Amino acid sequence: MPQTNGPSGRTPETHVIDFRAAEHLLASRDPRGAVKLLDRVIDVHPENTAARLLRARAFFAAAQLRPAELEFSLVLEREPDNAFAHYALARTYQRQGRPHPAKRHFRLAAALDPNPEYLKAARFDG
């Protein structure tokens, strides 16, 4: 009998399947469906930074900017050198009309990773 994780009967393998399905839902432009699956994963594995980053991306795609901001910030508390999370948080701030924190995180992203997209967003020349 497979090992279950609580009364729901869900196994660790089920959480991996949920994570992968959430990736596919996000790619298929169903961010709300992705959030629902990721909520279940994060309920059992709150320390899973990859799931939180994916959920932050899903919140952003669903235009739920405050939850996206909170998730990206949590990821950065755990992984302050995550250039993508800085870039995504900056885009979140930008969509909220908050240019100053956006600029700061665009520049941090570019400093951590000289990705051309990050460098362009950082606008070090202006």
Side-chain angles (χ1 to χ4, degrees):
M1 178 175 227
Q3 176 187 8
T4 61
N5 211 358
S8 69
R10 301 182 63 73
T11 66
E13 293 81 12
T14 306
H15 300 130
V16 172
I17 292 167
D18 285 347
F19 180 86
R20 296 294 176 217
E23 288 178 318
H24 289 290
L25 287 172
L26 187 56
S28 300
R29 300 182 189 261
D30 182 3
R32 293 179 194 279
V35 167
K36 286 179 186 175
L37 288 176
L38 292 164
D39 285 346
R40 295 192 315 215
V41 174
I42 292 169
D43 282 346
V44 177
H45 303 284
E47 75 291 345
N48 187 319
T49 304
R52 288 193 175 276
L53 185 57
L54 187 60
R55 185 165 70 172
R57 290 177 48 216
F59 280 137
F60 182 85
Q64 295 180 16
L65 301 179
R66 184 64 180 146
E69 176 189 346
L70 294 172
E71 284 292 339
F72 285 129
S73 296
L74 183 60
V75 168
L76 286 169
E77 284 177 19
R78 296 174 181 184
E79 296 179 3
D81 61 345
N82 187 321
F84 174 79
H86 280 289
Y87 177 76
L89 180 58
R91 289 187 60 217
T92 303
Y93 285 138
Q94 190 176 49
R95 281 181 69 184
Q96 292 173 329
R98 298 167 63 193
H100 297 296
K103 185 175 184 178
R104 176 178 178 266
H105 285 279
F106 278 137
R107 289 186 171 190
L108 284 166
L112 291 164
D113 179 355
N115 174 318
E117 190 174 355
Y118 300 171
L119 291 169
K120 182 180 177 185
R123 289 183 256 149
F124 285 111
D125 57 352

